[in-house]
């Protein structure tokens, strides 16, 4: 985090509202012991209603035993005595709309100018540790576009939480144990034999047919020659499996690095199991009386994916909100995937992460309840898991689905997408929809220069701020001139609207961080860009509103300060997204 975090103007007014309510309690106008935690202060949906709206009277009416409007009228009277409040009104059943002095907003602009792109940094998280696990693709092939969405959502969320004052660890869980990596080893062995000149024919059903494994097989043949030919599988499988995992993980890491995703911790499922972590988690659940031997009833509509009609080792997940109890051992006595996942999340908790966020593909939706139940159980209800599901992504071009990657066999790879449009476009575009909404990534729209392309529209606004700075410099007013600028010269309603939007940025950071919704930042940046472009257009039609006014250096400096602040907020938001702000459009 950068400079000292600045005021969240809306949280500041919650404090002012609560202070006024406490004065009403002291005067006997409200009962004691009221809960003020649900009180909000936020921008009204219609700016014509004022600058800040609060629900205070609405949420306190029932516990106070009073009518909302009666509380609202009395509260408004006290709030109007606040020097920063210039007017107010009670609306509807008891909402209060406040008009805030222009000077208050200009003071927020001064804070933005002082902090630069660090504006919006918050201490809200108080250094609380959070683990964000994302991507975590099986190391059985290259990353595809659905992985890209999870990577971008997870990375932006981690950056957002960091900006909001949390101590964030970015983690990738390598699923390098179980049947799927054995199949990977077997598939690689076929490609290895092929690389040595053998005709292998069609890839057997159940193995991985993608041509990307030809490269892995060829690399193994180059390293080991014919060493593994005619050897029994028990000899070659562990070695070739490890080689394939390491090779594909190196490619995954390289793709993530190109996307701008830098993971702090790579955790291995195999290492976790071999360390005895599953046994320890099982012992902890047993000690709590949460393990028993029993039979499961089949699901009413269809058999559950983990249902078997046999006596088995079950976890009492229904005690923690799950629909059915869950098996922890397979019929052969080995651990289920679920048991391994319980151990992994227990390991996170032991490492100090009571707050965990997992970013999963939408196909894991049925797994959420049991995993949240497991985290609650294994941490004695001290840990909390939030799962964000990312819907699939279709890659389109001119309304048509893009042809699948030949190298991958069945999907468009992340590398294909990065080569086509670049990492910044991928990252921003993936964040223009909520993670659980279906998404078509249109290659044409993602690169077109129009208002319909949020990436271009926001970057164009940033480039325009730099254009104004260059224009002012040509007129003899450098960017350093904004220091001490007479901000009270900013009186036009368009200018004040921009200032109020800039002042919303700290609130947007905190609200998006609390909700775990980085897409809110994309929406805000688009709105800020739209307001800036609109004001720019007004200046082209009304010369007195131009940013650089010949013969009035003081006004020019004030407007230059406003323009720089717009650029700082856009830069701050793009930094959260891991996108590089551009100074000039090419």
């Amino acid at each position: 985090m950068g400079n000292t975090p600045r005021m969240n103007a809306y949280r500041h007014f919650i404090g002012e509202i609560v202070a006024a309510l406490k004065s009403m309690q002291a005067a006997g106008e409200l009962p004691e012991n009221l809960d003020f935690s649900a009180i909000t202060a936020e921008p009204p949906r219609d700016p014509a209603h004022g600058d800040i709206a609060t629900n205070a009277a609405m949420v306190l009416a029932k516990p106070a035993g009073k009518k909302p409007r009666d509380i609202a009228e009395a509260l408004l009277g006290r709030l109007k005595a606040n020097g920063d409040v210039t007017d107010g009104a009670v609306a509807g059943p008891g909402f209060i709309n406040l008009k805030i002095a222009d000077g208050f907003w200009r003071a927020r602009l001064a804070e933005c100018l002082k902090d630069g792109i660090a504006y919006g940094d918050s201490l809200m998280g108080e250094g609380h540790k959070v683990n964000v696990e994302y991507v975590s693709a099986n190391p059985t092939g290259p990353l595809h576009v659905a992985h890209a969405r999870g990577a971008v959502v997870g990375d932006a969320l981690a950056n957002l939480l960091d900006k909001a004052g949390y101590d964030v660890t970015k983690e990738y869980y390598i699923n390098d144990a179980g049947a799927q990596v054995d199949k990977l080893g077997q598939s690689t062995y076929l490609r290895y034999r092929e690389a040595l000149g053998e005709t292998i024919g069609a890839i057997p059903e159940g193995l991985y047919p993608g041509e990307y494994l030809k490269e892995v097989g060829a690399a193994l043949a180059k390293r080991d020659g014919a060493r593994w030919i005619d050897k029994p599988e028990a000899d070659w499988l562990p070695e070739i499996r490890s080689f394939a995992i390491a090779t594909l993980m190196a490619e995954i890491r390289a793709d993530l690095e190109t996307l701008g995703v830098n993971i702090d911790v790579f955790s291995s499922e195999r290492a976790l199991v071999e360390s005895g972590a599953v046994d320890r988690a099982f012992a902890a659940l047993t000690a709590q009386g949460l393990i028993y031997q029993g039979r499961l009833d089949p699901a009413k509509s269809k058999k559950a994916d983990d249902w078997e009609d046999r006596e088995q080792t079950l976890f009492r997940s229904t005690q923690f909100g799950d629909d059915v109890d869950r098996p922890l051992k397979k019929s052969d006595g080995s651990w289920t995937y679920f048991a391994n996942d319980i151990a992994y999340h227990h390991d996170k908790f032991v490492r100090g992460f009571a707050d965990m966020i997992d970013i999963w593909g939408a196909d894991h939706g049925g797994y959420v309840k049991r995993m949240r139940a497991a985290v609650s159980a294994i941490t004695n209800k001290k840990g909390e898991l939030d799962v964000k599901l990312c819907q699939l992504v279709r890659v389109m071009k001119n309304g048509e689905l893009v042809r699948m990657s030949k190298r991958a066999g069945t999907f468009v790879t992340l590398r294909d997408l990065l080569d086509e449009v670049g990492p910044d476009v991928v990252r921003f575009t993936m964040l223009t929809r909520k993670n659980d909404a279906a998404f078509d990534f249109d290659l044409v729209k993602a690169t077109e220069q129009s208002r319909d392309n949020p990436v271009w529209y926001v970057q164009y606004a940033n480039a325009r701020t730099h254009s104004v700075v260059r224009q002012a410099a040509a007129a003899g007013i450098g960017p350093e001139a904004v220091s001490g600028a007479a901000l009270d010269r900013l009186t036009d309603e368009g200018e004040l609207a921009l200032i109020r939007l800039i002042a919303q940025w700290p609130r947007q950071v905190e609200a998006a961080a609390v909700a775990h919704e980085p897409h809110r930042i994309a929406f805000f940046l688009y709105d800020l860009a739209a307001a800036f472009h609109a004001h720019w257009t007004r200046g082209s039609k009304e010369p007195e509103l131009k940013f650089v006014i010949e013969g009035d250096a003081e006004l020019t400096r004030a407007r230059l300060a406003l323009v720089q602040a717009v650029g700082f907020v856009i830069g701050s938001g793009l930094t959260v997204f891991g996108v590089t702000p551009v100074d000039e459009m090419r």
Side-chain angles (χ1 to χ4, degrees):
M1 298 218 319
N3 300 326
T4 302
R6 296 296 179 178
M7 179 192 295
N8 174 337
Y10 300 87
R11 192 141 53 83
H12 166 77
F13 271 99
I14 290 176
E16 297 294 295
I17 291 162
V18 168
L21 289 167
K22 287 181 177 178
S23 73
M24 291 172 66
Q25 288 177 318
E29 298 172 24
L30 285 175
E32 298 294 329
N33 302 319
L34 290 175
D35 180 5
F36 298 141
S37 63
I39 292 173
T40 60
E42 55 193 12
R45 290 185 179 178
D46 184 352
H49 293 161
D51 298 324
I52 290 179
T54 180
N55 65 351
M58 303 289 291
V59 299
L60 295 178
K62 188 173 181 180
K66 290 179 175 289
K67 293 179 180 178
R69 284 194 69 94
D70 290 345
I71 297 176
E73 294 288 356
L75 176 57
L76 179 59
R78 278 178 162 76
L79 290 173
K80 281 184 174 180
N82 186 306
D84 291 322
V85 176
T86 60
D87 200 2
V90 177
F95 289 100
I96 300 174
N97 294 319
L98 301 174
K99 178 66 179 173
I100 308 303
D102 295 341
F104 176 85
W105 299 116
R106 293 191 190 102
R108 310 287 76 77
L109 176 62
E111 290 174 351
C112 178
L113 292 166
K114 186 171 183 180
D115 290 353
I117 65 168
Y119 183 59
D121 284 5
S122 171
L123 294 177
M124 181 186 70
E126 298 180 330
H128 190 75
K129 291 182 71 172
V130 181
N131 181 287
V132 185
E133 181 217 325
Y134 54 108
V135 192
S136 296
N138 290 339
T140 53
L143 297 178
H144 52 65
V145 291
H147 295 136
R149 190 176 193 184
V152 168
V153 169
D155 207 52
L157 176 53
N159 293 342
L160 177 61
L161 290 167
D162 179 68
K163 190 172 181 70
Y166 294 86
D167 180 3
V168 183
T169 294
K170 304 176 179 182
E171 187 152 338
Y172 185 119
Y173 185 45
I174 306 171
N175 297 115
D176 53 0
Q180 85 278 359
V181 288
D182 286 344
K183 289 179 181 178
L184 173 67
Q186 293 159 351
S187 306
T188 302
Y189 183 65
L190 286 177
R191 295 302 191 181
Y192 159 74
R193 286 163 44 198
E194 183 181 42
L196 290 172
E198 187 176 331
T199 301
I200 61 170
I203 302 298
E205 187 76 23
L207 297 188
Y208 294 100
E211 293 196 7
Y212 59 88
L213 284 179
K214 286 186 175 183
E215 302 160 28
V216 183
L220 179 64
K222 183 177 180 180
R223 190 192 77 170
D224 291 354
R227 176 183 174 186
W228 304 110
I229 297 297
D230 298 327
K231 290 286 195 308
E233 182 174 303
D235 288 353
W236 57 255
L237 182 58
E239 182 68 30
I240 291 179
R241 180 181 61 208
S242 295
F243 179 86
I245 290 170
T247 303
L248 290 168
M249 278 306 303
E251 181 175 329
I252 286 170
R253 288 177 189 240
D255 284 353
L256 290 174
E257 189 175 324
T258 302
L259 184 59
V261 172
N262 296 298
I263 302 291
D264 299 318
V265 176
F266 285 86
S267 291
S268 160
E269 181 184 9
R270 183 172 295 276
L272 186 81
V273 172
E274 291 174 353
S275 75
V278 189
D279 300 283
R280 290 192 293 275
F282 183 76
L285 292 174
T286 302
Q288 294 180 61
L290 297 174
I291 303 296
Y292 70 103
Q293 298 297 312
R295 284 183 131 80
L296 288 176
D297 294 328
K300 291 179 181 178
S301 57
K302 60 179 182 178
K303 288 185 178 180
D305 57 1
D306 52 3
W307 180 80
E308 288 183 75
D309 186 17
R310 64 177 177 86
E311 186 92 355
Q312 51 188 322
T313 302
L314 300 171
F315 160 55
R316 298 184 189 276
S317 55
T318 50
Q319 288 190 15
F320 300 88
D322 199 3
D323 299 322
V324 296
D325 291 341
R326 302 292 178 177
L328 295 186
K329 287 190 176 182
K330 301 176 186 174
S331 55
D332 64 3
S334 64
W335 297 115
T336 60
Y337 288 121
F338 182 47
N340 289 0
D341 285 342
I342 293 174
Y344 172 49
H345 286 78
H346 182 235
D347 178 68
K348 290 184 188 181
F349 183 71
V350 170
R351 285 187 274 136
F353 299 107
D355 280 354
M356 312 170 206
I357 303 171
D358 289 359
I359 313 295
W360 295 351
D363 55 335
H364 290 79
Y367 205 67
V368 175
K369 270 191 178 180
R370 75 186 73 175
M371 204 63 246
R372 292 190 65 166
V375 168
S376 183
I378 199 68
T379 65
N380 290 308
K381 297 186 178 180
K382 296 176 184 174
E384 190 169 339
L385 172 66
D386 182 20
V387 178
K388 311 301 283 187
L389 295 175
C390 291
Q391 289 291 339
L392 291 175
V393 179
R394 297 192 308 171
V395 180
M396 312 290 288
K397 193 168 190 175
N398 295 320
E400 301 286 335
L401 267 174
V402 170
R403 183 174 169 272
M404 300 303 182
S405 166
K406 181 181 178 184
R407 177 174 178 269
T410 57
F411 51 81
V412 178
T413 67
L414 169 58
R415 176 62 56 180
D416 294 335
L417 196 59
L418 290 171
D419 289 345
E420 186 78 19
V421 299
D424 284 353
V425 171
V426 170
R427 290 185 70 110
F428 197 112
T429 304
M430 290 284 188
L431 292 162
T432 56
R433 296 285 186 282
K434 193 175 180 183
N435 56 278
D436 58 3
F439 184 48
D440 287 349
F441 191 108
D442 191 304
L443 295 174
V444 175
K445 286 187 177 179
T447 53
E448 73 180 9
Q449 297 185 358
S450 81
R451 181 175 181 149
D452 294 333
N453 175 9
V455 190
W456 179 86
Y457 197 61
V458 171
Q459 289 280 31
Y460 185 37
N462 191 66
R464 275 184 153 176
T465 67
H466 287 273
S467 172
V468 173
V469 171
R470 290 191 293 271
Q471 186 184 354
I477 302 173
E480 69 284 349
V482 303
S483 178
L487 301 181
D488 58 354
R489 291 293 304 276
L490 300 172
T491 57
D492 177 76
E493 186 46 46
E495 294 169 339
L496 292 168
L498 272 174
I499 293 171
R500 287 191 288 269
L501 258 181
I502 288 164
Q504 282 189 34
W505 176 235
R507 173 184 176 270
Q508 291 289 340
V509 170
E510 293 185 356
V514 167
H516 298 170
E517 294 185 344
H519 67 274
R520 294 189 184 193
I521 303 302
F523 296 167
F524 175 79
L525 292 180
Y526 186 88
D527 289 345
L528 178 60
F532 181 66
H533 287 309
H535 193 67
W536 176 291
T537 301
R538 285 184 67 206
S540 65
K541 296 176 180 177
E542 304 172 53
E544 69 275 10
L545 293 178
K546 285 183 178 293
F547 296 113
V548 178
I549 301 296
E550 189 174 345
D552 194 338
E554 185 183 71
L555 181 57
T556 298
R557 280 196 294 271
R559 289 179 174 172
L560 185 60
L562 175 59
V563 169
Q564 281 195 332
V566 170
F568 287 149
V569 172
I570 291 174
S572 181
L574 292 179
T575 300
V576 167
F577 277 9
V579 173
T580 305
V582 299
D583 298 352
E584 206 170 351
M585 302 301 285
R586 292 181 175 82

